[in-house]
Each structure stands twice: as structure tokens, then as C-alpha cells.
Amino acid sequence: MNGIHDLGGMHGLGPVAREENEPVFHEEWERRVFAVLNLTMAAGQYNVDELRHAIERMAPARYLETPYYEHWLHAAEDLLDAKGVVTREELAQRVAEIAKRSSGEPRGMNEPPRGAAASERVRDAGRGQGK
Amino acid sequence: MPALPKEQVRAAIRAGLSARADVATPPRFKVGERVVARNIHPTGHTRLPRYARGKRGVVQRHHGGFVFPDTRAHGLGDQPQHLYNIRFEARELWGADAAEGDGIYLDLWESYLEAEGSL
């Protein structure tokens, strides 16, 4: 599909950001998302091409605003719901349970991510241009 | 798709799984042959980037048979095809302002390609 993932040749996104000594995971939740995707694929729920296409179907603005592993999380939620393994209702219920137990506010999908998103880097890159 | 046996999971995550598969038909293109990437705009999954569609390139390598992501992404099976490495000149992709001698190498499945002159 002609989606936002197919960026080749597009201008205005700024330079590629390189991080010195980049860790494998920036946050603990990224490590967990990595495990969820790999283990659900190993369990035969979907293959890597279905995973990639699920990421391609993200809303374009959301795709640019979210860090890499949030794309994976989106794909897991989308595919596991489509296949009836974990429904949206079950997911929402579990998120609410965990929030109640930890007596803190859950960091839901509608809140800004902690990690540096592509859109933030694009904004930073834009500050140095056009002078 | 079948579940992976438990004892194979760790190795699969560390090293990845092979996507190689046998193709019954002989390869349609040979190394050195000039090809054109087809101008397709499927609404489903594809590994053919937009910037290469309709562009001419040269076959650098025949990788062998590989499962086809465009069908696998939609539950339509492996349908393996021959996979080739194609060099596209930067000027073919980006015009006269691109550096002469620069090129981009893409791994492309056989059904993405036509022989030059056949389009």
C-alpha cells in the first residue's frame, strides 16, 4: 500500500538521528513488547509480513509521532484482536485493572510516548533550517 | 501458520528464521539482464518501494526462491518466487541532479519485474 511507511525520496524529515552507544531498549516496556511480538509469532498467531502490514495500516500522523516499539505494540493489539486472541475489551479491562492496582494513572495509547518520536526529531531538525 | 516447537524459539529469536523456499519454475531473469520494476499500486502489502516503480535497473544477483510477503501478509500462503538483487542508477531514480555512478540496490521478487522492452 502507498502508506506513510514508504518514505524513500521524501524531503523535510531532517537528518538521520544517530545515538552514541544506543541501548537495545530505551524503556522496560519496549523489552516486553519485543517479547510479546516474538512469542505470539512463535506461537503461530501471525507472521512477520502480517506484522509489517499491521504497522503500515497505522494512522499516518500516529505512525510519525510514535517510537519504533509502539508500532510493534499497535500491530500486536490489532492482530490479536482481529484473530480473537485478546479482544479490545479484554485489553481495556486489563489496563484498568493494572491502573487500579498500582493506584496510578495508566499511560494509555492516547498519551504522548516517553521516547523520542520521529515527529519530535523532525521538529528539532526543522528549527535549524530556513534561516 | 504452525507454532514453533518450544525448544526452537530461543534460537529463532536470536538468529531469525529462513524465508528460503523452493520454486518449481526456472528463474525468468539472469544476472546482467536489464529489467523494469512494474508500476503497481496494490492496496495490500508490498516490498516494492514507490520510488522504484516504472524504473529501469540491472540484475546483480539471483538469490534463489523466497516466500512472497505480498501474499503471506494476507493469509494467501507462501507462494515462493525467485528473488533478485537489482541495481538502479541514482539518476534513473532521482534525475539529472543525482550523483553519477551512485546506485541503489533492492532485493525484488520476480513478479515485481518485467524484461526491459517488454513494457
Side-chain angles (χ1 to χ4, degrees), chain B residues 23-78:
Chain B
V23 182
T25 53
R28 188 176 160 196
F29 305 110
K30 54 187 186 295
V31 171
E33 193 168 347
R34 300 191 61 83
V35 292
V36 182
R38 293 175 61 207
N39 182 14
I40 54 169
H41 294 267
T43 55
H45 184 58
T46 185
R47 307 290 290 168
L48 175 59
R50 253 180 297 179
Y51 63 77
R53 296 173 192 168
K55 305 295 185 180
R56 296 166 299 168
V58 177
V59 178
Q60 306 296 309
R61 184 181 295 180
H62 171 230
H63 288 301
F66 278 81
V67 297
F68 191 42
D70 304 34
T71 51
R72 267 169 52 96
H74 301 283
L76 299 173
D78 287 351

Short mmCIF file of all heavy atoms in Angstrom, two decimals, chain B residues 23-78:
data_model
loop_
_atom_site.label_atom_id
_atom_site.label_comp_id
_atom_site.label_asym_id
_atom_site.label_seq_id
_atom_site.Cartn_x
_atom_site.Cartn_y
_atom_site.Cartn_z
N VAL B 23 11.19 -23.01 -5.61
CA VAL B 23 10.30 -22.53 -6.67
C VAL B 23 10.36 -23.55 -7.81
O VAL B 23 11.46 -23.91 -8.25
CB VAL B 23 10.73 -21.14 -7.18
CG1 VAL B 23 9.77 -20.63 -8.25
CG2 VAL B 23 10.80 -20.15 -6.02
N ALA B 24 9.21 -23.98 -8.28
CA ALA B 24 9.16 -25.06 -9.29
C ALA B 24 9.66 -24.58 -10.65
O ALA B 24 10.29 -25.34 -11.39
CB ALA B 24 7.73 -25.58 -9.40
N THR B 25 9.41 -23.32 -10.99
CA THR B 25 9.77 -22.81 -12.33
C THR B 25 11.20 -22.27 -12.33
O THR B 25 11.69 -21.79 -11.30
CB THR B 25 8.81 -21.69 -12.74
OG1 THR B 25 8.79 -20.70 -11.70
CG2 THR B 25 7.41 -22.22 -12.96
N PRO B 26 11.90 -22.31 -13.48
CA PRO B 26 13.25 -21.74 -13.54
C PRO B 26 13.20 -20.23 -13.43
O PRO B 26 12.17 -19.61 -13.74
CB PRO B 26 13.77 -22.18 -14.91
CG PRO B 26 12.55 -22.44 -15.73
CD PRO B 26 11.47 -22.88 -14.77
N PRO B 27 14.32 -19.59 -13.01
CA PRO B 27 14.33 -18.12 -12.91
C PRO B 27 14.12 -17.48 -14.28
O PRO B 27 14.66 -17.94 -15.28
CB PRO B 27 15.72 -17.79 -12.35
CG PRO B 27 16.52 -19.03 -12.52
CD PRO B 27 15.59 -20.19 -12.57
N ARG B 28 13.30 -16.42 -14.30
CA ARG B 28 12.96 -15.76 -15.56
C ARG B 28 14.07 -14.81 -16.02
O ARG B 28 14.22 -14.55 -17.21
CB ARG B 28 11.65 -14.97 -15.34
CG ARG B 28 11.08 -14.38 -16.61
CD ARG B 28 9.75 -13.70 -16.33
NE ARG B 28 9.47 -12.75 -17.40
CZ ARG B 28 8.56 -11.80 -17.32
NH1 ARG B 28 7.84 -11.65 -16.23
NH2 ARG B 28 8.36 -10.97 -18.33
N PHE B 29 14.83 -14.28 -15.07
CA PHE B 29 15.87 -13.29 -15.41
C PHE B 29 17.25 -13.81 -15.04
O PHE B 29 17.39 -14.61 -14.13
CB PHE B 29 15.60 -11.97 -14.67
CG PHE B 29 14.24 -11.42 -14.91
CD1 PHE B 29 13.28 -11.42 -13.90
CD2 PHE B 29 13.88 -10.92 -16.16
CE1 PHE B 29 12.01 -10.92 -14.13
CE2 PHE B 29 12.61 -10.43 -16.39
CZ PHE B 29 11.66 -10.43 -15.37
N LYS B 30 18.28 -13.35 -15.77
CA LYS B 30 19.64 -13.76 -15.45
C LYS B 30 20.49 -12.54 -15.08
O LYS B 30 20.13 -11.39 -15.42
CB LYS B 30 20.27 -14.54 -16.61
CG LYS B 30 20.24 -13.84 -17.95
CD LYS B 30 20.74 -14.79 -19.03
CE LYS B 30 20.88 -14.10 -20.37
NZ LYS B 30 19.58 -13.64 -20.93
N VAL B 31 21.59 -12.79 -14.40
CA VAL B 31 22.48 -11.71 -13.96
C VAL B 31 22.95 -10.92 -15.17
O VAL B 31 23.31 -11.49 -16.19
CB VAL B 31 23.68 -12.29 -13.17
CG1 VAL B 31 24.73 -11.22 -12.88
CG2 VAL B 31 23.19 -12.93 -11.87
N GLY B 32 22.89 -9.58 -15.06
CA GLY B 32 23.30 -8.70 -16.14
C GLY B 32 22.13 -8.24 -17.01
O GLY B 32 22.29 -7.31 -17.80
N GLU B 33 20.99 -8.90 -16.86
CA GLU B 33 19.84 -8.55 -17.70
C GLU B 33 19.22 -7.23 -17.22
O GLU B 33 19.15 -6.94 -16.03
CB GLU B 33 18.79 -9.67 -17.61
CG GLU B 33 17.71 -9.56 -18.66
CD GLU B 33 16.85 -10.83 -18.75
OE1 GLU B 33 17.23 -11.87 -18.17
OE2 GLU B 33 15.78 -10.74 -19.37
N ARG B 34 18.73 -6.43 -18.21
CA ARG B 34 18.08 -5.16 -17.88
C ARG B 34 16.60 -5.42 -17.64
O ARG B 34 15.95 -6.11 -18.43
CB ARG B 34 18.27 -4.16 -19.02
CG ARG B 34 19.74 -3.85 -19.31
CD ARG B 34 19.88 -2.67 -20.26
NE ARG B 34 19.31 -1.46 -19.67
CZ ARG B 34 19.94 -0.68 -18.81
NH1 ARG B 34 21.17 -0.96 -18.42
NH2 ARG B 34 19.35 0.40 -18.34
N VAL B 35 16.09 -4.87 -16.54
CA VAL B 35 14.69 -5.09 -16.17
C VAL B 35 14.02 -3.75 -15.83
O VAL B 35 14.70 -2.74 -15.66
CB VAL B 35 14.58 -6.04 -14.94
CG1 VAL B 35 15.03 -7.45 -15.29
CG2 VAL B 35 15.37 -5.49 -13.76
N VAL B 36 12.69 -3.78 -15.76
CA VAL B 36 11.91 -2.62 -15.34
C VAL B 36 11.03 -3.05 -14.17
O VAL B 36 10.37 -4.10 -14.25
CB VAL B 36 11.01 -2.09 -16.48
CG1 VAL B 36 10.26 -0.84 -16.04
CG2 VAL B 36 11.84 -1.80 -17.72
N ALA B 37 11.02 -2.26 -13.09
CA ALA B 37 10.11 -2.53 -11.98
C ALA B 37 8.70 -2.13 -12.43
O ALA B 37 8.51 -1.04 -12.98
CB ALA B 37 10.53 -1.74 -10.74
N ARG B 38 7.75 -3.01 -12.22
CA ARG B 38 6.39 -2.74 -12.68
C ARG B 38 5.77 -1.57 -11.91
O ARG B 38 6.10 -1.33 -10.75
CB ARG B 38 5.51 -3.99 -12.52
CG ARG B 38 5.95 -5.12 -13.44
CD ARG B 38 5.14 -6.37 -13.17
NE ARG B 38 3.71 -6.13 -13.42
CZ ARG B 38 2.73 -6.80 -12.81
NH1 ARG B 38 3.01 -7.72 -11.92
NH2 ARG B 38 1.49 -6.53 -13.10
N ASN B 39 4.90 -0.83 -12.59
CA ASN B 39 4.20 0.29 -11.95
C ASN B 39 2.91 -0.24 -11.33
O ASN B 39 1.85 -0.23 -11.95
CB ASN B 39 3.90 1.38 -12.98
CG ASN B 39 3.22 2.58 -12.34
OD1 ASN B 39 3.20 2.72 -11.12
ND2 ASN B 39 2.64 3.42 -13.17
N ILE B 40 3.04 -0.75 -10.08
CA ILE B 40 1.88 -1.32 -9.39
C ILE B 40 1.58 -0.50 -8.14
O ILE B 40 2.49 0.09 -7.54
CB ILE B 40 2.12 -2.80 -9.00
CG1 ILE B 40 3.41 -2.94 -8.17
CG2 ILE B 40 2.17 -3.68 -10.25
CD1 ILE B 40 3.59 -4.29 -7.52
N HIS B 41 0.32 -0.44 -7.76
CA HIS B 41 -0.09 0.27 -6.55
C HIS B 41 -1.08 -0.57 -5.77
O HIS B 41 -2.24 -0.20 -5.61
CB HIS B 41 -0.69 1.63 -6.92
CG HIS B 41 0.30 2.56 -7.53
ND1 HIS B 41 1.03 3.48 -6.80
CD2 HIS B 41 0.75 2.66 -8.81
CE1 HIS B 41 1.87 4.13 -7.61
NE2 HIS B 41 1.71 3.65 -8.82
N PRO B 42 -0.64 -1.73 -5.28
CA PRO B 42 -1.56 -2.60 -4.55
C PRO B 42 -2.00 -1.96 -3.23
O PRO B 42 -1.21 -1.24 -2.60
CB PRO B 42 -0.73 -3.87 -4.30
CG PRO B 42 0.69 -3.40 -4.34
CD PRO B 42 0.72 -2.27 -5.33
N THR B 43 -3.24 -2.19 -2.83
CA THR B 43 -3.71 -1.63 -1.55
C THR B 43 -3.25 -2.51 -0.39
O THR B 43 -3.32 -2.09 0.76
CB THR B 43 -5.24 -1.51 -1.53
OG1 THR B 43 -5.78 -2.81 -1.85
CG2 THR B 43 -5.72 -0.49 -2.55
N GLY B 44 -2.77 -3.71 -0.68
CA GLY B 44 -2.24 -4.59 0.37
C GLY B 44 -0.75 -4.37 0.56
O GLY B 44 -0.19 -3.35 0.15
N HIS B 45 -0.08 -5.38 1.18
CA HIS B 45 1.34 -5.27 1.50
C HIS B 45 2.18 -5.51 0.25
O HIS B 45 1.87 -6.38 -0.55
CB HIS B 45 1.69 -6.32 2.55
CG HIS B 45 3.10 -6.27 3.04
ND1 HIS B 45 3.63 -5.14 3.62
CD2 HIS B 45 4.09 -7.18 3.06
CE1 HIS B 45 4.89 -5.39 3.96
NE2 HIS B 45 5.19 -6.61 3.63
N THR B 46 3.23 -4.73 0.09
CA THR B 46 4.22 -4.99 -0.96
C THR B 46 5.58 -4.53 -0.50
O THR B 46 5.68 -3.62 0.33
CB THR B 46 3.85 -4.30 -2.29
OG1 THR B 46 4.79 -4.70 -3.30
CG2 THR B 46 3.87 -2.79 -2.18
N ARG B 47 6.64 -5.15 -1.04
CA ARG B 47 8.01 -4.77 -0.70
C ARG B 47 8.65 -3.99 -1.83
O ARG B 47 9.86 -3.77 -1.81
CB ARG B 47 8.85 -6.03 -0.40
CG ARG B 47 8.27 -6.96 0.65
CD ARG B 47 8.29 -6.42 2.05
NE ARG B 47 9.60 -6.32 2.63
CZ ARG B 47 9.88 -5.68 3.75
NH1 ARG B 47 8.92 -5.04 4.40
NH2 ARG B 47 11.09 -5.64 4.22
N LEU B 48 7.86 -3.59 -2.81
CA LEU B 48 8.38 -2.77 -3.93
C LEU B 48 8.15 -1.30 -3.60
O LEU B 48 7.02 -0.83 -3.60
CB LEU B 48 7.67 -3.14 -5.23
CG LEU B 48 8.02 -2.30 -6.47
CD1 LEU B 48 9.51 -2.36 -6.79
CD2 LEU B 48 7.21 -2.76 -7.68
N PRO B 49 9.24 -0.55 -3.30
CA PRO B 49 9.05 0.85 -2.91
C PRO B 49 8.53 1.71 -4.07
O PRO B 49 8.81 1.43 -5.23
CB PRO B 49 10.44 1.32 -2.49
CG PRO B 49 11.39 0.21 -2.74
CD PRO B 49 10.65 -0.96 -3.30
N ARG B 50 7.79 2.74 -3.71
CA ARG B 50 7.18 3.61 -4.73
C ARG B 50 8.21 4.22 -5.67
O ARG B 50 7.98 4.34 -6.86
CB ARG B 50 6.42 4.75 -4.03
CG ARG B 50 4.91 4.61 -4.10
CD ARG B 50 4.23 5.75 -3.40
NE ARG B 50 4.57 5.77 -1.96
CZ ARG B 50 4.14 6.67 -1.12
NH1 ARG B 50 3.39 7.68 -1.55
NH2 ARG B 50 4.45 6.62 0.16
N TYR B 51 9.37 4.63 -5.08
CA TYR B 51 10.33 5.38 -5.89
C TYR B 51 10.96 4.53 -7.00
O TYR B 51 11.58 5.08 -7.91
CB TYR B 51 11.42 6.02 -5.02
CG TYR B 51 12.30 5.05 -4.27
CD1 TYR B 51 13.33 4.36 -4.90
CD2 TYR B 51 12.12 4.83 -2.90
CE1 TYR B 51 14.14 3.48 -4.20
CE2 TYR B 51 12.92 3.96 -2.20
CZ TYR B 51 13.92 3.27 -2.86
OH TYR B 51 14.72 2.41 -2.17
N ALA B 52 10.83 3.19 -6.89
CA ALA B 52 11.45 2.33 -7.90
C ALA B 52 10.46 1.91 -9.00
O ALA B 52 10.87 1.37 -10.02
CB ALA B 52 12.03 1.09 -7.24
N ARG B 53 9.19 2.18 -8.81
CA ARG B 53 8.18 1.68 -9.76
C ARG B 53 8.32 2.39 -11.11
O ARG B 53 8.41 3.62 -11.17
CB ARG B 53 6.77 1.89 -9.18
CG ARG B 53 6.58 1.06 -7.91
CD ARG B 53 5.27 1.35 -7.22
NE ARG B 53 5.27 0.75 -5.89
CZ ARG B 53 4.37 1.01 -4.95
NH1 ARG B 53 3.37 1.85 -5.20
NH2 ARG B 53 4.45 0.42 -3.78
N GLY B 54 8.33 1.57 -12.16
CA GLY B 54 8.48 2.12 -13.50
C GLY B 54 9.93 2.43 -13.86
O GLY B 54 10.19 2.94 -14.96
N LYS B 55 10.87 2.16 -12.95
CA LYS B 55 12.28 2.50 -13.19
C LYS B 55 13.05 1.29 -13.72
O LYS B 55 12.71 0.15 -13.43
CB LYS B 55 12.91 2.99 -11.88
CG LYS B 55 12.19 4.16 -11.23
CD LYS B 55 12.23 5.41 -12.07
CE LYS B 55 11.60 6.59 -11.32
NZ LYS B 55 11.62 7.81 -12.12
N ARG B 56 14.10 1.59 -14.48
CA ARG B 56 14.93 0.55 -15.08
C ARG B 56 16.14 0.23 -14.21
O ARG B 56 16.72 1.13 -13.59
CB ARG B 56 15.41 1.00 -16.46
CG ARG B 56 14.29 1.21 -17.48
CD ARG B 56 14.79 1.98 -18.68
NE ARG B 56 15.28 3.30 -18.27
CZ ARG B 56 15.98 4.12 -19.04
NH1 ARG B 56 16.32 3.76 -20.26
NH2 ARG B 56 16.36 5.30 -18.59
N GLY B 57 16.49 -1.05 -14.16
CA GLY B 57 17.65 -1.48 -13.39
C GLY B 57 18.29 -2.70 -14.03
O GLY B 57 17.84 -3.16 -15.08
N VAL B 58 19.36 -3.18 -13.38
CA VAL B 58 20.10 -4.33 -13.91
C VAL B 58 20.21 -5.40 -12.82
O VAL B 58 20.53 -5.11 -11.67
CB VAL B 58 21.52 -3.91 -14.38
CG1 VAL B 58 22.32 -5.11 -14.87
CG2 VAL B 58 21.42 -2.85 -15.48
N VAL B 59 19.94 -6.65 -13.20
CA VAL B 59 20.02 -7.78 -12.26
C VAL B 59 21.48 -7.98 -11.83
O VAL B 59 22.35 -8.17 -12.69
CB VAL B 59 19.47 -9.07 -12.90
CG1 VAL B 59 19.61 -10.25 -11.92
CG2 VAL B 59 18.01 -8.89 -13.32
N GLN B 60 21.73 -7.93 -10.52
CA GLN B 60 23.08 -8.13 -9.98
C GLN B 60 23.29 -9.56 -9.49
O GLN B 60 24.38 -10.09 -9.52
CB GLN B 60 23.33 -7.18 -8.80
CG GLN B 60 23.09 -5.73 -9.12
CD GLN B 60 24.05 -5.20 -10.15
OE1 GLN B 60 25.26 -5.36 -10.02
NE2 GLN B 60 23.52 -4.58 -11.20
N ARG B 61 22.20 -10.15 -8.95
CA ARG B 61 22.34 -11.45 -8.30
C ARG B 61 20.97 -12.14 -8.26
O ARG B 61 19.95 -11.46 -8.13
CB ARG B 61 22.83 -11.24 -6.85
CG ARG B 61 23.10 -12.52 -6.10
CD ARG B 61 23.55 -12.23 -4.68
NE ARG B 61 24.84 -11.55 -4.63
CZ ARG B 61 25.44 -11.19 -3.50
NH1 ARG B 61 24.88 -11.41 -2.33
NH2 ARG B 61 26.60 -10.57 -3.54
N HIS B 62 21.00 -13.46 -8.42
CA HIS B 62 19.79 -14.26 -8.21
C HIS B 62 19.94 -14.92 -6.85
O HIS B 62 20.83 -15.74 -6.65
CB HIS B 62 19.66 -15.30 -9.34
CG HIS B 62 18.58 -16.30 -9.10
ND1 HIS B 62 18.78 -17.65 -9.20
CD2 HIS B 62 17.28 -16.13 -8.74
CE1 HIS B 62 17.66 -18.29 -8.93
NE2 HIS B 62 16.74 -17.39 -8.65
N HIS B 63 19.07 -14.55 -5.89
CA HIS B 63 19.21 -15.06 -4.52
C HIS B 63 18.66 -16.47 -4.37
O HIS B 63 18.94 -17.14 -3.39
CB HIS B 63 18.44 -14.16 -3.55
CG HIS B 63 19.07 -12.83 -3.30
ND1 HIS B 63 20.33 -12.68 -2.79
CD2 HIS B 63 18.59 -11.57 -3.48
CE1 HIS B 63 20.61 -11.38 -2.65
NE2 HIS B 63 19.58 -10.69 -3.08
N GLY B 64 17.78 -16.91 -5.30
CA GLY B 64 17.08 -18.19 -5.14
C GLY B 64 15.61 -17.93 -4.81
O GLY B 64 15.12 -16.81 -4.98
N GLY B 65 14.92 -18.96 -4.36
CA GLY B 65 13.50 -18.85 -4.07
C GLY B 65 13.24 -18.36 -2.66
O GLY B 65 13.92 -18.79 -1.72
N PHE B 66 12.28 -17.45 -2.53
CA PHE B 66 11.91 -16.92 -1.21
C PHE B 66 10.39 -16.76 -1.13
O PHE B 66 9.74 -16.44 -2.15
CB PHE B 66 12.57 -15.55 -0.96
CG PHE B 66 13.98 -15.65 -0.48
CD1 PHE B 66 15.01 -15.87 -1.40
CD2 PHE B 66 14.29 -15.58 0.87
CE1 PHE B 66 16.32 -16.00 -0.97
CE2 PHE B 66 15.60 -15.70 1.30
CZ PHE B 66 16.62 -15.91 0.39
N VAL B 67 9.84 -16.98 0.05
CA VAL B 67 8.39 -16.81 0.25
C VAL B 67 8.00 -15.37 -0.09
O VAL B 67 8.81 -14.45 0.06
CB VAL B 67 7.97 -17.16 1.70
CG1 VAL B 67 8.26 -18.63 1.99
CG2 VAL B 67 8.66 -16.27 2.72
N PHE B 68 6.76 -15.19 -0.55
CA PHE B 68 6.32 -13.89 -1.09
C PHE B 68 5.53 -13.12 -0.03
O PHE B 68 4.42 -13.52 0.33
CB PHE B 68 5.45 -14.16 -2.32
CG PHE B 68 5.13 -12.94 -3.15
CD1 PHE B 68 6.09 -11.98 -3.41
CD2 PHE B 68 3.87 -12.78 -3.68
CE1 PHE B 68 5.79 -10.87 -4.18
CE2 PHE B 68 3.55 -11.68 -4.46
CZ PHE B 68 4.52 -10.72 -4.71
N PRO B 69 6.11 -12.00 0.47
CA PRO B 69 5.45 -11.25 1.55
C PRO B 69 4.06 -10.73 1.15
O PRO B 69 3.17 -10.61 2.00
CB PRO B 69 6.40 -10.08 1.81
CG PRO B 69 7.72 -10.53 1.29
CD PRO B 69 7.41 -11.42 0.13
N ASP B 70 3.89 -10.40 -0.13
CA ASP B 70 2.64 -9.77 -0.57
C ASP B 70 1.43 -10.70 -0.39
O ASP B 70 0.30 -10.22 -0.23
CB ASP B 70 2.75 -9.35 -2.04
CG ASP B 70 3.94 -8.42 -2.30
OD1 ASP B 70 4.98 -8.59 -1.63
OD2 ASP B 70 3.84 -7.53 -3.17
N THR B 71 1.67 -12.02 -0.46
CA THR B 71 0.56 -12.97 -0.20
C THR B 71 0.54 -13.39 1.26
O THR B 71 -0.52 -13.51 1.86
CB THR B 71 0.67 -14.22 -1.09
OG1 THR B 71 2.00 -14.77 -0.99
CG2 THR B 71 0.39 -13.88 -2.54
N ARG B 72 1.72 -13.59 1.84
CA ARG B 72 1.79 -14.03 3.24
C ARG B 72 1.15 -13.03 4.21
O ARG B 72 0.62 -13.40 5.24
CB ARG B 72 3.25 -14.26 3.65
CG ARG B 72 3.69 -15.71 3.47
CD ARG B 72 5.19 -15.84 3.62
NE ARG B 72 5.73 -15.25 4.82
CZ ARG B 72 5.97 -15.95 5.94
NH1 ARG B 72 5.74 -17.23 6.00
NH2 ARG B 72 6.49 -15.34 7.00
N ALA B 73 1.21 -11.74 3.86
CA ALA B 73 0.65 -10.70 4.73
C ALA B 73 -0.88 -10.78 4.78
O ALA B 73 -1.49 -10.18 5.66
CB ALA B 73 1.07 -9.31 4.26
N HIS B 74 -1.46 -11.52 3.84
CA HIS B 74 -2.93 -11.54 3.74
C HIS B 74 -3.50 -12.95 3.83
O HIS B 74 -4.61 -13.19 3.34
CB HIS B 74 -3.35 -10.85 2.44
CG HIS B 74 -2.88 -9.43 2.37
ND1 HIS B 74 -3.50 -8.40 3.07
CD2 HIS B 74 -1.81 -8.87 1.77
CE1 HIS B 74 -2.84 -7.28 2.85
NE2 HIS B 74 -1.81 -7.53 2.08
N GLY B 75 -2.75 -13.85 4.43
CA GLY B 75 -3.25 -15.21 4.61
C GLY B 75 -3.40 -15.98 3.32
O GLY B 75 -4.18 -16.93 3.24
N LEU B 76 -2.64 -15.59 2.27
CA LEU B 76 -2.78 -16.23 0.96
C LEU B 76 -1.62 -17.18 0.66
O LEU B 76 -1.39 -17.56 -0.50
CB LEU B 76 -2.88 -15.15 -0.14
CG LEU B 76 -4.10 -14.23 -0.01
CD1 LEU B 76 -4.05 -13.09 -1.02
CD2 LEU B 76 -5.40 -15.02 -0.18
N GLY B 77 -0.89 -17.55 1.70
CA GLY B 77 0.13 -18.58 1.53
C GLY B 77 1.51 -18.06 1.16
O GLY B 77 1.68 -16.86 0.90
N ASP B 78 2.49 -18.97 1.14
CA ASP B 78 3.89 -18.60 0.89
C ASP B 78 4.15 -18.21 -0.56
O ASP B 78 4.93 -17.30 -0.83
CB ASP B 78 4.82 -19.77 1.27
CG ASP B 78 4.92 -19.95 2.77
OD1 ASP B 78 4.43 -19.07 3.51
OD2 ASP B 78 5.49 -20.97 3.20
#
